[in-house]
Amino acid sequence: MPYDEEFPWTLCNCQALRQASRHVTQFYDQALAPSGIRTTQYSILHRVHEQGPKTVNELAEQLVMDPSTLTHNLRPLLKEGLIVLQVGSDRRRRAVTLTPQGKATHQRARVLWLRAQAEFEQVFGSTRAVALRQLMQDIVRADLTPSATKPTRKRRE
């Protein structure tokens, strides 16, 4: 692959994924800007819209996020009145629920997201976009626990 001075080739998988992720996130953030929310916020609203109320831990697991990071990302949504945290059957658990304003914001953002999705697939190609999503799903499902932290099995002699 030829060397590109603006975007030099990297052998680091993590860096390459993060660069691509930031690039795509910036694209979607710009597309969603008229709705007043960012891509990370849209992902949360959409997941709750599609699946109904979820505890912070359930939502964090589904979004492949640390619960404390998700809690940080929920704060602006709570402040804007787009979600509420309702007490669940166990008083210690809180379920993330969309408010009517959150549903309306999701609906506005959904139209913008669909346009961005179509534009991404037009630029990148639908077949490649599907393959990319499958590859990313494979990465999420892979056991990427570093060898140094995996339990070792003692050999029987």
Side-chain angles (χ1 to χ4, degrees):
M1 181 162 267
Y3 180 81
D4 182 330
E5 287 185 24
E6 187 177 359
F7 302 108
W9 176 256
T10 179
L11 293 177
C12 178
N13 298 313
C14 185
Q15 182 181 358
L17 282 166
R18 289 177 62 87
Q19 286 173 328
S21 177
R22 284 190 294 268
H23 183 62
V24 172
T25 298
Q26 289 167 2
F27 166 74
Y28 277 84
D29 279 347
Q30 289 171 2
L32 290 174
S35 71
I37 62 171
R38 300 175 63 92
T39 304
T40 51
Q41 296 167 323
Y42 175 78
S43 298
I44 294 166
L45 294 181
H46 185 68
R47 181 65 58 142
V48 175
H49 171 78
E50 288 293 306
Q51 296 185 358
K54 295 281 177 200
T55 66
V56 171
N57 286 341
E58 290 169 335
L59 195 53
E61 186 177 322
Q62 289 182 358
L63 294 171
V64 191
M65 296 175 89
D66 182 82
S68 62
T69 302
L70 176 60
T71 299
H72 175 77
N73 288 325
L74 292 175
R75 284 187 191 124
L77 298 173
L78 285 162
K79 185 178 177 184
E80 295 295 321
L82 304 180
I83 61 167
V84 291
L85 294 177
Q86 292 183 327
V87 177
S89 55
D90 176 346
R91 291 183 134 320
R92 294 171 293 171
R93 301 178 88 184
R94 303 273 187 250
V96 178
T97 307
L98 293 181
T99 64
Q101 185 179 346
K103 289 176 185 176
T105 298
H106 172 265
Q107 192 171 27
R108 281 192 310 277
R110 180 79 177 157
V111 172
L112 299 169
W113 178 87
L114 287 168
R115 283 188 208 143
Q117 188 79 350
E119 188 174 339
F120 179 91
E121 292 194 8
Q122 181 182 16
V123 170
F124 199 67
S126 335
T127 302
R128 289 175 69 203
V130 169
L132 174 67
R133 288 191 304 272
Q134 182 60 58
L135 179 61
M136 295 298 111
Q137 187 65 30
D138 292 347
I139 290 170
V140 168
R141 288 185 175 142
D143 179 7
L144 293 178
T145 307
S147 298
T149 61
K150 286 183 182 176
T152 56
R153 295 180 191 221
K154 293 189 177 189
R155 289 181 26 183
R156 293 184 183 185
E157 299 190 18

